[in-house]
Amino acid sequence: MSYQRVKFYQTGTFTVGNRLLDESDRTVQAGMDRTNSLDSGHRACQGCGEALGARYALDAVMRATHRQMVAVNATGCLEVFSSPYPESAWQIPWLHSLFGNAPAVASGVAAALRAKGKTDIRVIAQGGDGATVDIGFGCLSGMFERNDDVLYVCYDNEAYMNTGVQRSGSTPPRAWTNTTQAVGTDPGNPMGVGKNLPRIAMAHGIPYVATASVADLHDLEAKVTKSMAIRGARYIHIHVPCPLGWKSDPAHTIKVARLAVESGLFPLFEAEGGHVTDRTRIRNKVPVERYLELQGRFNHLLHPRDESALGAIQAMADANINLYQLLSSEA
Amino acid sequence: MEQKPFAITLNPASSLANHTGNWRTMRPIYVDHLPPCNQACPAGENIQGWLYEAEEGKYEQAWRKIMEDNPFPAIHGRVCYHPCETACNRGQLDEAVSIHAVERFLGDYAIEQGWQMEPGVATGKRVLVVGAGPSGLSAAYHLARLGHAVTIYEAGPKPGGMMRFGIPQYRLPRNILDAEIARIVAMGVAIQLNQKVENLETAIKEGGFDAVFLAIGAHLSKRVDIPGRDAGRMIDALGFLKGMDGEVAPKIGRRVAVYGGGNTAIDAARTAKRLGAEETILIYRRDREHMPAHDFEVEEALEEGVLTRWLNMIRQVDETTLTVEEMKLDEQGRPQPTGQFETLEADTVILAVGQEVDTGFLAQVPGLEISSDGVIQVDPSMMTGRSGVFAGGDMVPAERTVTVATGHGKKAARHIDAYLRGCDYVKSPPNAVATYDRLNTWYYTDADKSRQPYLDLARRRASFEEVVGGLDKDTALLEARRCLSCGNCFECDTCYGVCPDNAIIKLGPGQRYEVNYDYCKGCGLCAEECPCGAIDMVKEVR
């Protein structure tokens, strides 16, 4: 983890706020003056993880840049639910173009600002996993390769939710989607497919790559803040449960995200210049089943039990724990 | 109509026009549930409430919050058997919060700082309290706070009752006891010592009292029928412990046997050890599991070298020996004789087999009901059969502890106050209990319990110095912060943070939060994530 946790026990070590800390040292989300970049009245589903993740990330950027920023949004849920004509839920300068070109548009915005000498205004590009991992991937790779001064934030809900839950390159193995039905001998999304975009971003050797989760706000804000102190191409991949597509209880959005972290399926780490530099330790390790059982998209693995699939998914979690040393106390 | 760009027909608008609150089928509401510690406290303290203040280092506010219910924090922090900690939800997470240790710190700190309490606005009513034990003093304190003039008649030479004459100094140093009693006296409560009430009706008439609270305790030691009881030295435990407060310590022999299994027996055994008995042996007719004494006290006694004989009944006492019969427990846990006898050496036998109430002075009181086991019957308002005469503490049917007695004092004071004002005291119904399953414990840091220091064994065996030490300011603060604040919002901002719809309004320090029902979609994230279970989801009614 990229910051020192302060022991405050119930008064706020892991909670959003902490009445014992000075206002300026609290999380952005605890502040009465937070931007609320994505305002009330947006049309995201009940318990939307992406709406939450976007506000967490953008409010932190707003604080880090002293409100000098512009966001470029790819097509996807986040764009659709926030800006049905003529309404907008955005309280920040915000731009939408196409599904596949958000990184390229952001590169252009950054170039324009540089040309105008306004380098204090920072550029954020954001999209869902579909726009990032699949459709806009070429533009994103180019943005990384040119090391354009853009922070790209991917809100990963592991499928195309806005269009009705179709599989993406980020859909996990064995998950149900409308295009990977739970039928046949290997129901759900096949094993061994998909992309690990944080690792791909690292392979570009860009200055900063991190993963984050809506389940750990302190960690997420620390990473966003840190990324804004760096110039060049940066990438943050945020895990955001989708109650609709994951068939989970809207009230469980954060719980599900937390179990993804605590099981090791979604490792929280940071990388600089292509090398892993830090990771957030698992506090209470849980078996992957605890994560899977809260989501209807994995029902077919548990009723009846599919031991080989469960074993394979547990092996993925264990490999992450091993690779990122998620349990050990030394980095 | 203003000119719009090509193909644009609507003005830009904010999503705030879209009241997503109408999606809602369930509605979050903020609730206050009753923390299990508060529920368990016999003195009715708002423990979660004062720990909340202590967490911020607001020690005076914390202490004053205790004082609303209990005038003896320093005493209770030492001698209360803290049922609050048994109930504490944190016990299911790691270890219960050391509530008594924080309370003791606050009590000691208040004494050090000289914090005082003010009496209420005078009502002109006069109340007589009989007995200056925990119950009587507690009632007097609360009555004084309610503005009544209180006089205590105490039969003994010093105030404190069982806190002075029953609890040894190594558990409750007398300077602490004196300081907390002095604070009540400073509020204008008059304590008349060596004033035994012989006839209650006469005392009421002569003193012109409007109401009475009886709290004389249970000071008569029960007797057991042991042949040869005049032989050797047989003394009762209460008399023995009481003698410790005199000028000269009671005389005991080299080998002391204590007969009984309650806390008084343990106190007597540990006191005998400290007085220099070479051998102190605790004899109890059942086994350790069935001892009424608290386990940690038994443990401390064993550490100090007190010997034990479980399942033994004393059958005969001679000059320097006593005969015990071995017992065995039947299915109901009652001891049954086995016919196996043994002779032990003992030159002093201390009997600690229970206490009774000295009800003699109440014989002439009309309407007052004394049950066959010698305790006074009271109604739910603590009033006896005689109108205006209330009773509490060890002399009424209840568990006999300092804390229960103190709680009786408070309860009786409130009812006496209502009686004097000619109305009924109606207690607001308690909130539902904040059970462990309502908590989201992920948000709480792992935090080990703070340990209180113990006096070393050699000094424990030889002196009456206090055995258990207190926490210092820093450790008390950390210990207070281990509180999970079960069922009561502690303003952690989690609901405010986790709402995907910005539908929680933060009202500012001390003001908590409100739900903006115009936008709340009713997803339930706030209720699910609330660490302390202070949000309920209820069905939306439109």
Side-chain angles (χ1 to χ4, degrees):
Chain A
M1 75 191 91
S2 55
Y3 65 103
Q4 185 66 44
R5 297 235 194 235
V6 186
K7 272 203 173 187
F8 273 106
Y9 306 150
Q10 65 107 325
T11 39
T13 312
F14 295 101
T15 52
V16 168
N18 179 347
R19 65 180 198 272
L20 303 178
L21 271 180
D22 194 69
E23 288 273 359
S24 61
D25 294 327
R26 300 185 194 178
T27 65
V28 177
Q29 288 305 314
M32 292 175 75
D33 59 347
R34 72 185 188 200
T35 309
N36 280 334
S37 305
L38 180 62
D39 208 1
S40 306
H42 65 70
R43 298 168 189 219
C45 307
Q46 293 174 326
C48 175
E50 187 173 36
L52 189 60
R55 195 188 74 222
Y56 281 179
L58 293 170
D59 283 4
V61 172
M62 284 292 275
R63 179 153 98 177
T65 61
H66 307 287
R67 308 173 92 89
Q68 298 299 304
M69 58 90 87
V70 54
V72 177
N73 213 123
T75 304
C77 273
L78 185 60
E79 171 260 322
V80 170
F81 72 62
S82 65
S83 56
Y85 177 70
E87 289 170 10
S88 171
W90 296 102
Q91 305 210 72
I92 51 170
W94 181 85
L95 184 62
H96 168 243
S97 174
L98 297 173
F99 211 153
N101 68 353
V105 172
S107 293
V109 172
L113 289 169
R114 193 173 65 245
K116 295 188 82 174
K118 293 185 174 177
T119 48
D120 57 323
I121 302 175
R122 308 298 298 276
V123 183
I124 313 299
Q126 57 181 359
D129 52 296
T132 308
V133 175
D134 301 339
I135 300 177
F137 181 66
C139 293
L140 181 64
S141 181
M143 187 202 103
F144 287 162
E145 190 238 339
R146 294 186 303 272
N147 199 25
D148 290 326
D149 187 18
V150 174
L151 167 66
Y152 191 98
V153 182
C154 170
Y155 305 105
D156 183 5
N157 58 18
E158 304 186 338
Y160 291 84
M161 301 311 186
N162 160 47
T163 50
V165 195
Q166 293 87 12
R167 177 201 176 275
S168 81
S170 191
T171 301
R174 289 282 162 267
W176 164 93
T177 66
N178 267 315
T179 48
T180 55
Q181 293 289 333
V183 291
T185 48
D186 292 317
N189 195 35
M191 275 285 179
V193 299
K195 308 178 198 173
N196 182 336
L197 211 70
R199 306 285 312 177
I200 296 171
M202 281 167 61
H204 288 76
I206 57 173
Y208 187 74
V209 173
T211 58
S213 167
V214 286
D216 195 337
L217 173 67
H218 292 258
D219 185 73
L220 185 154
E221 286 192 354
K223 285 167 175 168
V224 170
T225 305
K226 182 174 178 180
S227 77
M228 294 317 291
I230 299 169
R231 291 281 176 171
R234 290 143 287 144
Y235 180 75
I236 297 182
H237 191 100
I238 304 178
H239 200 223
V240 291
C242 171
L244 173 84
W246 297 13
K247 299 184 178 181
S248 57
D249 185 331
H252 286 169
T253 294
I254 291 176
K255 186 179 184 179
V256 167
R258 182 181 302 129
L259 291 168
V261 172
E262 302 267 87
S263 64
L265 278 176
F266 192 86
L268 298 180
F269 64 91
E270 289 180 289
E272 290 173 52
H275 301 285
V276 174
T277 52
D278 210 347
R279 79 283 182 266
T280 305
R281 284 172 67 193
I282 291 173
R283 282 181 63 209
N284 305 299
K285 186 179 180 285
V286 295
V288 293
E289 273 186 60
R290 291 275 312 282
Y291 168 66
L292 303 175
E293 71 193 7
L294 292 177
Q295 305 171 53
R297 63 173 174 161
F298 293 114
N299 249 349
H300 53 281
L301 301 184
L302 296 161
H303 311 287
R305 290 176 64 85
D306 181 341
E307 295 297 348
S308 84
L310 292 172
I313 295 171
Q314 184 63 55
M316 287 167 52
D318 293 342
N320 282 336
I321 289 168
N322 203 21
L323 176 62
Y324 298 102
Q325 299 175 29
L326 300 176
L327 291 176
S328 65
S329 53
E330 303 114 49
Chain B
M1 205 174 113
E2 69 181 283
Q3 194 66 32
K4 292 194 176 66
F6 174 70
I8 302 292
T9 54
L10 297 171
N11 284 321
S14 161
S15 61
L16 292 176
N18 186 23
H19 283 195
T20 51
N22 60 13
W23 300 12
R24 198 171 53 239
T25 56
M26 298 292 279
R27 150 191 294 250
I29 52 166
Y30 287 96
V31 292
D32 281 298
H33 278 209
L34 180 66
C37 51
N38 294 9
Q39 188 195 28
C41 180
E45 287 184 22
N46 180 0
I47 295 165
Q48 179 273 331
W50 58 256
L51 282 172
Y52 183 86
E53 303 287 353
E55 274 158 34
E56 297 184 46
K58 293 180 180 167
Y59 299 130
E60 183 165 357
Q61 284 98 318
W63 177 78
R64 291 196 182 278
K65 203 153 233 173
I66 300 177
M67 293 297 286
E68 287 173 19
D69 300 297
N70 184 343
F72 305 122
I75 293 170
H76 280 80
R78 290 174 167 82
V79 304
C80 178
Y81 294 113
H82 40 75
C84 51
E85 295 182 25
T86 310
C88 176
N89 276 333
R90 182 139 203 154
Q92 295 180 55
L93 187 64
D94 42 35
E95 266 185 286
V97 176
S98 192
I99 296 166
H100 74 278
V102 181
E103 182 175 39
R104 170 176 167 167
F105 164 77
L106 292 170
D108 287 358
Y109 195 62
I111 293 171
E112 193 186 308
Q113 299 291 314
W115 293 332
Q116 295 292 331
M117 297 298 290
E118 295 299 319
V121 181
T123 60
K125 300 285 185 185
R126 290 172 51 76
V127 183
L128 170 66
V129 172
V130 184
S135 198
L137 287 167
S138 165
Y141 163 81
H142 287 286
L143 287 165
R145 276 178 32 98
L146 292 163
H148 306 301
V150 185
T151 304
I152 305 180
Y153 289 170
E154 164 59 45
K158 288 178 184 173
M162 277 297 173
M163 298 189 288
R164 186 183 303 276
F165 300 117
I167 300 174
Q169 294 181 37
Y170 59 84
R171 280 178 58 205
L172 176 58
R174 296 304 182 245
N175 60 333
I176 299 295
L177 176 64
D178 291 340
E180 293 210 313
I181 294 174
R183 203 163 46 213
I184 296 174
V185 173
M187 290 170 69
V189 170
I191 304 181
Q192 300 191 10
L193 300 171
N194 302 308
Q195 175 107 4
K196 189 165 187 215
V197 176
E198 303 290 355
N199 183 310
L200 185 62
E201 291 296 343
T202 315
I204 295 170
K205 206 166 287 170
E206 285 175 0
F209 294 108
D210 301 297
V212 181
F213 181 59
L214 302 174
I216 60 160
H219 282 267
L220 295 182
S221 285
K222 278 188 189 161
R223 288 153 188 277
V224 282
D225 201 15
I226 301 172
R229 57 167 293 129
D230 294 329
R233 271 182 60 86
M234 286 182 66
I235 54 180
D236 72 80
L238 272 188
F240 171 63
L241 290 172
K242 197 168 180 172
M244 291 303 300
D245 222 69
E247 300 277 300
V248 189
K251 283 202 169 55
I252 51 165
R254 289 189 301 126
R255 288 196 170 83
V256 178
V258 179
Y259 193 35
N263 292 317
T264 305
I266 303 285
D267 287 341
R270 295 174 71 182
T271 298
K273 194 81 196 165
R274 283 168 169 77
L275 284 176
E278 282 168 27
E279 191 182 284
T280 304
I281 185 159
L282 194 66
I283 300 172
Y284 182 52
R285 63 203 167 88
R286 295 190 289 176
D287 58 10
R288 183 166 173 180
E289 282 73 51
H290 290 83
M291 279 181 86
H294 289 85
D295 201 55
F296 76 93
E297 290 200 280
V298 179
E299 200 52 50
E300 285 176 7
L302 295 177
E303 282 169 13
E304 287 163 13
V306 171
L307 306 174
T308 54
R309 284 190 81 98
W310 318 121
L311 292 166
N312 274 200
M313 200 160 207
I314 299 182
R315 288 302 189 196
Q316 190 169 326
V317 176
D318 298 308
E319 194 113 344
T320 57
T321 59
L322 52 85
T323 309
V324 295
E325 179 176 0
E326 205 168 300
M327 310 298 280
K328 64 171 185 228
L329 296 182
D330 63 16
E331 278 167 11
Q332 281 82 44
R334 281 187 305 242
Q336 300 296 341
T338 60
Q340 305 278 330
F341 292 91
E342 215 176 316
T343 303
L344 309 175
E345 285 192 35
D347 36 30
T348 304
V349 178
I350 301 176
L351 298 175
V353 290
Q355 288 119 253
E356 287 171 328
V357 185
D358 184 1
T359 52
F361 76 115
L362 300 172
Q364 305 302 318
V365 179
L368 205 125
E369 195 186 331
I370 302 170
S371 57
S372 57
D373 54 352
V375 291
I376 310 293
Q377 294 303 310
V378 287
D379 69 10
S381 72
M382 314 289 294
M383 188 149 76
T384 65
R386 154 75 156 91
S387 174
V389 175
F390 297 73
D394 287 358
M395 67 185 296
V396 303
E399 196 191 347
R400 288 175 173 174
T401 67
V402 171
T403 320
V404 168
T406 305
H408 281 176
K410 176 178 88 168
K411 187 176 171 189
R414 292 185 177 170
H415 287 289
I416 291 169
D417 178 63
Y419 170 84
L420 293 173
R421 293 175 198 273
C423 55
D424 280 333
Y425 171 72
V426 183
K427 200 179 169 209
S428 51
N431 295 325
V433 178
T435 49
Y436 185 74
D437 57 4
R438 291 182 60 87
L439 306 178
N440 188 339
T441 57
W442 187 84
Y443 287 101
Y444 300 110
T445 323
D446 309 320
D448 292 336
K449 180 170 165 170
S450 310
R451 305 282 162 197
Q452 289 172 271
Y454 269 69
L455 194 65
D456 69 69
L457 262 180
R459 278 160 76 193
R460 271 165 67 181
R461 286 186 181 130
S463 80
F464 284 88
E465 278 177 73
E466 189 166 24
V467 171
V468 185
L471 299 180
D472 61 25
K473 229 172 167 173
D474 292 339
T475 41
L477 187 73
L478 289 184
E479 193 56 31
R481 288 178 179 179
R482 291 182 70 239
C483 171
L484 306 179
S485 196
C486 307
N488 290 266
C489 174
F490 60 96
E491 297 188 31
C492 71
D493 297 333
T494 297
C495 53
Y496 176 61
V498 301
C499 177
D501 295 288
N502 307 333
I504 305 286
I505 302 165
K506 179 173 174 176
L507 300 173
Q511 307 296 310
R512 297 189 174 182
Y513 312 87
E514 253 174 29
V515 180
N516 184 346
Y517 292 110
D518 281 349
Y519 299 107
C520 167
K521 293 170 184 164
C523 68
L525 259 178
C526 51
E528 180 69 30
E529 293 304 311
C530 177
C532 66
I535 304 176
D536 272 347
M537 296 300 290
V538 297
K539 210 165 168 49
E540 183 66 55
V541 181
R542 291 189 196 276

